[in-house]
Amino acid sequence: MSVPDYMQCAEDHQTVLVVVQPVGIVPEDQFFRIYKRIASVSQVNIRDSQRLLYIRYRHHYLPENNEWGDFQTHRKVVGLIAITTCSSAKEWPQTAERFHGQKEVYSSTLYDSRLLVFGLQGEIAEQQRTDMAFYPSFENCSDVEKRVEDFVESIFIVLESKRLDRATDKSGDKIPLLCVPFEKKDFVGLDTDSRHYKKRCQGRMRKHVGDLCLQASMLQDALVHYHMAVELLRGVNDFLWLGAALEGLCSASVIFHYPGGTAGKMAGRKPSVSQPADAGKRHRPGALTANGISADTSTEIGRAKNCLSPEDIIEKYKEAISYYGKYKNAGVIELEACVKAVRVLAIQKRAREASEFLQNAVYINLGQLSEEEKIQRYSILSELYELIGFHRKSAFFKRVAAMQCVAPTIPEPGWRACYKLLLETLPGYSLSLDPKDFSKGTHRGWAAVQMRLLHELVYASRRMGNPGLSVRHLSFLLQTMLDFLSDQDFQWVQGDVCEVQLMVYNPMPYELRVENMVGEFITTKLLSFSSHPQCHFVSLVQKYLHLQILKHLFGKSCCLSSQQVPSRSFFKFNLFVFKISLCLWFVSAEKVFGEFLNWELEETLSHLPLKPGQAVTLTINIKVKLDFSGQENLLQDLNDGEWTQKFTFEPQGNRMSVSTCQCKPILEAVLNFKYSGGAGKVEGYYRELSLGVHVDVEPSVFFTRVSTLPATSTRQCHLLLDIFNPTEHELTVSAKNNQELVLHASECQRMAIQVDKFDFESLPQLDQETARFTNPKQLEEERHHAQGCQINSKLENFVLNPSHPSLRRRGEASVEGVLNQLVLEHLQLAPLQWDVLVNGKPCDCDVIADCKVGDAVTLEVKLTNRSKNSVGPLALTVVPYQDYQNGVQNYDLEDTVTFIGSNTFYIDTVKPKESSLCVGALLFLYTGDFYLNIKFQDDSAGRELPLAWFTLPSVHVRALDTPLQAGA
């Protein structure tokens, strides 16, 4: 076994395992609706008996776990309930065959099975069969629970039969040796006549009979068999099975002491519909104390001769786990035993001992785990620590699980899940997000850990695309943790105005006059200070004086101009000669922001050198690239006035006023000009001029929502874009091969563009050497970027033209940033390419194939496999029908259309880059419009391919009259 069941508890040893699985194509919501009803029958009172049978249901169970069924019988799949849909009698043989194939997977352990068929009516459905039940629909199936109860009773009959056979085995010394999968090769060639071997067989069989007795609700017998198995297996040092016998003994004792269960409040066992209210007390009497331990067990089960005491249960669990630890292949068994013991200790309120079991569980090696399995493991450890009251330890493991959600090896990090898990760790670290819970002078918890956690919340919220939330967490960090932040998590930024406070102490017995003291003792070439010119007096009472000094970092550039730019614009700067006698003849400039600023110096340089009094103009082009994507709730946010705001502070007398403005993306750059001339150039001197450019960028459109719709052709689809105009002017949006869309101010409209699907597999791939040394996350980002560029190359950019005559700017908007993964999948050509030809002509995109009545019509279906793996085998069935265009479709065309040969095509395995062709023929006996519905049947087991890969184009055939021959 490789995947542990972290929800296992001691009472699960008393259950029988039933797997509920879909067969064929069953809607997921309908399957789980029926599964929930089936799982509600969790225990059944057996008729003519005072015993209960407990059932554990799973809709997914690994076959490799089933191989451990002899080791612990509650791991053995003994029942199978299959759910399927079937609409016609023609589909029934395939459905029944699939059901029998599903039973083969668990055939070695299965006691009984049932098939629930939905949608089939008629002669087949009217048959009375014990292994199948037929229902007309998922809504009309009122007796599902009753049929499940009958099914459980049939399982009990087989279970009881096996228990009696094993308990009264007359085979003497020829008892078979039960094994776990990895042991089988170790017992090849052993002497089967030795006394040691026979005792091993007897001990394992006794343990197995104890499991069967426990499942059959014979608690007393189970305890006796477990004790006998322990003595036999201990004598031959059969440690793995000795551990299993000890764990079985613990489980039976836990079931006796804690009839309410150990899995939590939700796991309390309730009687089923057919069970009397007091049936659960008949085989497990005894009053319970407040902590769930039996008040007096001396009168039960022979003065507790066989049942372990609550203290002994834990000691035997420790011993069993130590034996499991000797086998590296029993890691899952060891881990689950630790979890079961922790749940028992939690009820006994022995938290410290429970933590020792959990600490052991942390270091159990299960081999290579996937990222999802690691997240599950750490999350369960967190829940168990929370169960025993170790809140800080619980928070630690939950935080580890959160970090695992965004591990570098995950192609698409789950920042939202990471953020959610981090929030759940706050109580464990004594941290509240309510500032009112922080009082001055007192602090609960470790401040260093709390600050680290808040930093992680800030980063996670920013990475999941919620900058507003990130700012709120950062503000909270500054508000509540300022006393613990060092002068270093703060940095002064060039050009920003900061505040310096000086604390002045007056040691003299009289007042001192302090005036303009900054210039006296603070001097530096990198800092520029402006101090308060007022005089301050430090009195005897005050002793201290706070001076506020505004500090400016050197190099703050002046702001030339600002302008709202949709996507392209330009500024013109006039360069003037500062002195009449200076001859300016050399100009150079450095590009700072790549394509953000562009200029051509040739025209300017042709006018140099400048004579006194002359000027030259240099044109600077500004081009910005924006993200035009917007969330679906953008319009609502704009209407509610919840636009992000930027606060500016302005001094007014002795107080500060606050004004707000809408926050827009800001781009800044510094243009450095060097010039020289005259005698200065001869000596090698030059002057520098730095001019700052400050641009507020405002997108002219937002793509608030992007989705797709299928087109009539399987090679095309419709790209739907909701475009919002946030400007105050009318805007014209035009796209490739599409009509212009006129958007009024603050208006949102939808544009539909029919596009050919893209073959992303044809994109150039990185060579293996480069890919091996590249971060998987970076590879995924490069792949998405390449896909977006390919789509943009086909769509071209959207052209934006403001209709207002004063706005002579023309921009372009790209959809690269708004194409999420879902839309990309819908825009991608399916790796399985289907081509259908009628009489040699392809049928796709509303193409109607004409034929003559009475003439043979050839039908070809070609499958081209462009995926990286082989597909198949597949079966295609051609079903003709007529559409009356009123919601009615006629499939009863046996006298109208006939097939020459079979109407079913079989496609064997198709390898990557290869094709398979199926050829058949039809004969139309009457005129009319006919459609061919081509259904596929996947005969491979365990298919996980998307249904979109198997979408075939619709086929429309028009049968026409055969023209009469002349003279006929």
Side-chain angles (χ1 to χ4, degrees):
M1 289 189 295
S2 59
V3 181
D5 181 1
Y6 293 100
M7 305 310 295
Q8 282 255 331
C9 49
E11 54 267 26
D12 283 341
H13 287 246
Q14 195 182 22
T15 63
V16 293
L17 179 59
V18 174
V19 172
V20 184
Q21 290 183 337
V23 172
I25 301 176
V26 180
E28 185 176 0
D29 57 338
Q30 299 289 8
F31 169 76
F32 282 104
R33 178 182 172 187
I34 300 298
Y35 176 82
K36 186 176 181 181
R37 293 179 58 183
I38 294 173
S40 67
V41 188
S42 58
Q43 58 192 53
V44 174
N45 183 40
I46 305 301
R47 283 176 289 186
D48 302 327
S49 171
Q50 294 185 357
R51 284 185 277 169
L52 288 169
L53 189 63
Y54 297 94
I55 309 97
R56 190 170 85 259
Y57 296 95
R58 293 289 184 270
H59 58 79
H60 178 72
Y61 196 71
L62 294 177
E64 65 181 57
N65 289 9
N66 198 36
E67 297 175 1
W68 288 71
D70 288 338
F71 182 72
Q72 290 175 327
T73 57
H74 73 286
R75 302 182 184 277
K76 182 184 301 185
V77 178
V78 298
L80 171 66
I81 299 179
I83 299 174
T84 188
T85 58
C86 185
S87 58
S88 66
K90 292 182 178 180
E91 298 179 5
W92 174 244
Q94 296 178 347
T95 302
E97 185 178 351
R98 282 185 170 186
F99 173 55
H100 291 298
Q102 193 69 21
K103 287 197 298 184
E104 287 297 320
V105 178
Y106 307 107
S107 60
S108 60
T109 60
L110 216 56
Y111 290 177
D112 201 356
S113 60
R114 290 290 186 273
L115 175 63
L116 305 183
V117 185
F118 294 87
L120 183 62
Q121 300 184 32
E123 183 180 350
I124 296 176
E126 293 173 358
Q127 298 177 5
Q128 298 297 325
R129 301 186 57 168
T130 58
D131 61 337
M132 297 180 185
F134 298 90
Y135 299 100
S137 65
F138 285 98
E139 291 75 21
N140 189 7
C141 52
S142 58
D143 66 337
V144 166
E145 291 83 357
K146 181 63 174 62
R147 287 186 179 271
V148 173
E149 289 188 7
D150 295 340
F151 169 63
V152 171
E153 288 193 358
S154 70
I155 289 179
F156 175 80
I157 295 173
V158 180
L159 173 66
E160 185 70 1
S161 174
K162 289 184 176 293
R163 182 188 70 82
L164 293 173
D165 289 344
R166 299 287 192 274
T168 59
D169 192 358
K170 305 299 183 181
S171 59
D173 295 338
K174 297 299 182 181
I175 298 176
L177 179 66
L178 301 176
C179 298
V180 296
F182 70 85
E183 284 184 317
K184 295 178 181 178
K185 63 179 182 300
D186 299 331
F187 293 123
V188 176
L190 284 183
D191 182 9
T192 59
D193 294 328
S194 67
R195 187 168 179 270
H196 188 277
Y197 181 85
K198 293 178 181 179
K199 273 198 171 184
R200 186 193 297 267
C201 294
Q202 293 171 359
R204 293 189 177 189
M205 183 57 70
R206 281 293 178 185
K207 187 266 169 193
H208 180 66
V209 174
D211 287 348
L212 295 176
C213 291
L214 189 60
Q215 288 182 306
S217 292
M218 300 189 67
L219 194 61
Q220 172 67 37
D221 290 1
L223 288 166
V224 172
H225 285 293
Y226 284 139
H227 273 289
M228 296 175 64
V230 168
E231 296 304 320
L232 288 168
L233 295 170
R234 198 187 298 276
V236 294
N237 293 333
D238 194 354
F239 294 118
L240 180 64
W241 286 76
L242 174 58
L246 289 169
E247 188 182 355
L249 191 59
C250 293
S251 300
S253 301
V254 167
I255 290 170
F256 171 76
H257 286 294
Y258 313 108
T262 63
K265 296 181 180 179
M266 300 302 295
R269 295 173 174 179
K270 301 178 182 179
S272 65
V273 178
S274 63
Q275 174 189 342
D278 61 342
K281 302 179 182 178
R282 295 179 183 175
H283 68 290
R284 51 173 83 166
L288 298 180
T289 60
N291 63 357
I293 302 178
S294 180
D296 183 11
T297 61
S298 61
T299 60
E300 304 158 14
I301 314 184
R303 197 177 176 81
K305 179 180 179 181
N306 295 317
C307 184
L308 300 175
S309 67
E311 293 76 16
D312 289 339
I313 291 174
I314 304 306
E315 293 303 318
K316 297 303 181 186
Y317 263 127
K318 289 182 180 178
E319 186 179 357
I321 291 170
S322 68
Y323 292 145
Y324 291 151
K326 297 177 181 292
Y327 301 86
K328 64 178 182 179
N329 293 318
V332 171
I333 303 292
E334 181 185 2
L335 178 60
E336 291 180 356
C338 289
V339 172
K340 297 169 193 173
V342 169
R343 297 189 189 280
V344 176
L345 285 166
I347 292 181
Q348 297 181 358
K349 303 187 186 305
R350 297 160 66 180
R352 186 175 297 278
E353 292 177 78
S355 68
E356 295 176 1
F357 280 91
L358 282 178
Q359 192 66 27
N360 179 67
V362 172
Y363 294 107
I364 296 175
N365 182 17
L366 298 181
Q368 294 294 329
L369 297 178
S370 65
E371 301 300 335
E372 292 76 8
E373 291 169 347
K374 291 179 183 177
I375 295 171
Q376 183 191 27
R377 183 176 186 179
Y378 294 133
S379 299
I380 293 296
L381 286 172
S382 172
E383 293 177 7
L384 292 173
Y385 272 115
E386 184 71 23
L387 183 66
I388 63 175
F390 281 40
H391 304 298
R392 192 169 62 199
K393 200 81 171 210
S394 170
F396 168 78
F397 279 103
K398 187 156 289 188
R399 187 165 158 228
V400 173
M403 295 299 104
Q404 202 67 43
C405 292
V406 293
T409 54
I410 298 181
E412 297 183 1
W415 285 105
R416 191 171 297 277
C418 172
Y419 177 79
K420 181 178 180 296
L421 289 172
L422 287 176
L423 280 183
E424 295 175 2
T425 65
L426 295 178
Y429 289 118
S430 302
L431 187 60
S432 168
L433 292 183
D434 189 352
K436 296 179 181 178
D437 295 336
F438 291 81
S439 57
K440 197 69 175 176
T442 60
H443 188 85
R444 294 179 62 246
W446 292 350
V449 178
Q450 292 171 342
M451 287 191 296
R452 178 62 181 267
L453 180 58
L454 287 173
H455 274 291
E456 290 169 353
L457 284 173
V458 170
Y459 187 75
S461 56
R462 181 163 59 87
R463 289 301 302 268
M464 73 179 187
N466 196 334
L469 184 60
S470 177
V471 170
R472 285 199 295 273
H473 285 312
L474 189 58
S475 303
F476 176 82
L477 171 65
L478 295 175
Q479 181 180 356
T480 58
M481 299 287 180
L482 186 61
D483 295 340
F484 303 100
L485 296 174
S486 64
D487 295 340
Q488 284 74 22
D489 295 344
F490 300 96
Q491 293 184 352
W492 282 358
V493 181
Q494 177 177 336
D496 282 1
V497 178
C498 300
E499 182 181 276
V500 176
Q501 292 186 349
L502 298 178
M503 183 175 288
V504 182
Y505 175 69
N506 179 13
M508 307 302 292
Y510 48 82
E511 292 183 350
L512 291 178
R513 186 172 185 267
V514 181
E515 181 180 5
N516 204 21
M517 60 182 299
V518 177
E520 299 294 332
F521 66 89
I522 301 181
T523 58
T524 174
K525 293 182 179 180
L526 296 178
L527 301 178
S528 173
F529 290 91
S530 62
S531 61
H532 293 278
Q534 300 95 331
C535 295
H536 299 274
F537 292 89
V538 184
S539 64
L540 290 174
V541 180
Q542 185 179 2
K543 286 293 184 181
Y544 294 95
L545 171 67
H546 291 273
L547 295 181
Q548 294 185 342
I549 305 166
L550 296 180
K551 182 267 315 177
H552 296 271
L553 288 180
F554 226 112
K556 178 171 177 63
S557 57
C558 61
C559 180
L560 270 183
S561 178
S562 67
Q563 183 156 345
Q564 294 181 351
V565 182
S567 64
R568 286 199 184 102
S569 189
F570 62 88
F571 291 120
K572 291 185 178 180
F573 300 101
N574 291 326
L575 305 181
F576 298 97
V577 180
F578 294 97
K579 293 184 179 180
I580 300 297
S581 59
L582 177 63
C583 180
L584 180 63
W585 68 276
F586 175 79
V587 178
S588 70
E590 300 176 4
K591 294 187 178 181
V592 182
F593 269 78
E595 294 185 357
F596 164 46
L597 298 179
N598 263 297
W599 56 82
E600 296 293 339
L601 286 178
E602 287 75 9
E603 176 65 21
T604 302
L605 293 175
S606 65
H607 293 84
L608 299 180
L610 289 180
K611 296 180 180 179
Q614 287 186 338
V616 66
T617 300
L618 173 63
T619 300
I620 306 293
N621 296 313
I622 297 179
K623 181 179 180 181
V624 295
K625 184 177 182 180
L626 299 174
D627 182 8
F628 294 92
S629 59
Q631 300 176 352
E632 290 188 38
N633 59 353
L634 173 67
L635 300 180
Q636 183 64 33
D637 291 344
L638 291 176
N639 293 333
D640 295 343
E642 295 181 359
W643 190 250
T644 306
Q645 294 186 332
K646 176 182 178 181
F647 295 87
T648 58
F649 297 86
E650 300 176 355
Q652 294 183 357
N654 295 326
R655 61 186 182 88
M656 303 292 286
S657 69
V658 182
S659 62
T660 64
C661 65
Q662 288 188 350
C663 187
K664 306 165 186 174
I666 296 174
L667 293 177
E668 292 183 335
V670 177
L671 297 176
N672 296 319
F673 295 91
K674 297 180 180 180
Y675 60 94
S676 181
K681 180 184 180 303
V682 176
E683 297 295 330
Y685 294 102
Y686 64 89
R687 288 186 175 180
E688 280 193 16
L689 173 64
S690 296
L691 298 176
V693 180
H694 176 103
V695 180
D696 293 330
V697 185
E698 184 180 39
S700 297
V701 293
F702 281 116
F703 296 103
T704 60
R705 188 172 184 269
V706 181
S707 57
T708 57
L709 280 178
T712 54
S713 170
T714 58
R715 290 180 171 85
Q716 293 180 327
C717 70
H718 295 286
L719 186 64
L720 305 180
L721 299 130
D722 289 354
I723 307 176
F724 173 66
N725 175 15
T727 68
E728 299 177 356
H729 308 284
E730 187 179 274
L731 194 67
T732 302
V733 182
S734 57
K736 180 182 179 183
N737 299 330
N738 230 51
Q739 294 182 350
E740 291 187 346
L741 182 68
V742 178
L743 291 174
H744 298 285
S746 302
E747 184 183 16
C748 184
Q749 291 191 36
R750 176 166 293 182
M751 175 179 281
I753 306 174
Q754 182 167 308
V755 296
D756 295 331
K757 290 188 177 181
F758 301 91
D759 183 12
F760 294 135
E761 298 295 331
S762 63
L763 292 175
Q765 302 292 330
L766 291 177
D767 58 273
Q768 295 182 354
E769 188 68 19
T770 305
R772 189 175 63 176
F773 296 101
T774 307
N775 189 312
K777 180 181 177 182
Q778 184 180 355
L779 285 174
E780 186 68 13
E781 291 177 352
E782 291 181 358
R783 186 173 68 87
H784 284 312
H785 177 69
Q787 292 174 347
C789 291
Q790 186 183 15
I791 294 174
N792 284 336
S793 65
K794 294 286 185 69
L795 289 179
E796 297 182 350
N797 289 334
F798 291 81
V799 180
L800 311 177
N801 289 303
S803 302
H804 199 275
S806 63
L807 301 174
R808 298 182 178 177
R809 287 169 299 203
R810 183 175 182 270
E812 295 179 353
S814 168
V815 296
E816 178 181 348
V818 298
L819 294 174
N820 54 28
Q821 185 60 33
L822 178 62
V823 177
L824 283 176
E825 291 176 0
H826 291 180
L827 290 175
Q828 182 176 4
L829 269 175
L832 299 187
Q833 188 61 56
W834 299 88
D835 295 287
V836 180
L837 292 85
V838 176
N839 283 339
K841 296 181 180 179
C843 288
D844 198 7
C845 193
D846 291 337
V847 174
I848 302 176
D850 292 333
C851 68
K852 303 298 182 183
V853 171
D855 290 351
V857 179
T858 60
L859 177 66
E860 302 174 61
V861 181
K862 181 181 179 182
L863 167 61
T864 304
N865 183 10
R866 295 182 177 178
S867 67
K868 299 179 181 178
N869 301 312
S870 298
V871 295
L874 302 171
L876 301 178
T877 303
V878 181
V879 181
Y881 69 95
Q882 283 185 306
D883 191 347
Y884 295 153
Q885 305 299 327
N886 58 359
V888 178
Q889 294 178 347
N890 179 22
Y891 284 88
D892 188 13
L893 301 178
E894 294 181 357
D895 299 331
T896 309
V897 182
T898 182
F899 285 88
I900 302 175
S902 174
N903 68 327
T904 301
F905 302 144
Y906 293 96
I907 299 178
D908 203 356
T909 303
V910 184
K911 296 181 180 180
K913 310 303 180 185
E914 293 187 359
S915 301
S916 178
L917 181 64
C918 301
V919 181
L922 303 91
L923 196 65
F924 293 91
L925 306 179
Y926 295 92
T927 61
D929 286 294
F930 300 89
Y931 297 87
L932 300 182
N933 183 9
I934 305 178
K935 299 181 178 180
F936 79 91
Q937 172 74 40
D938 187 359
D939 293 335
S940 61
R943 181 182 66 81
E944 298 180 354
L945 301 179
L947 290 177
W949 288 23
F950 298 89
T951 302
L952 280 79
S954 60
V955 181
H956 184 180
V957 181
R958 178 170 294 162
L960 304 174
D961 275 332
T962 304
L964 295 176
Q965 296 293 335

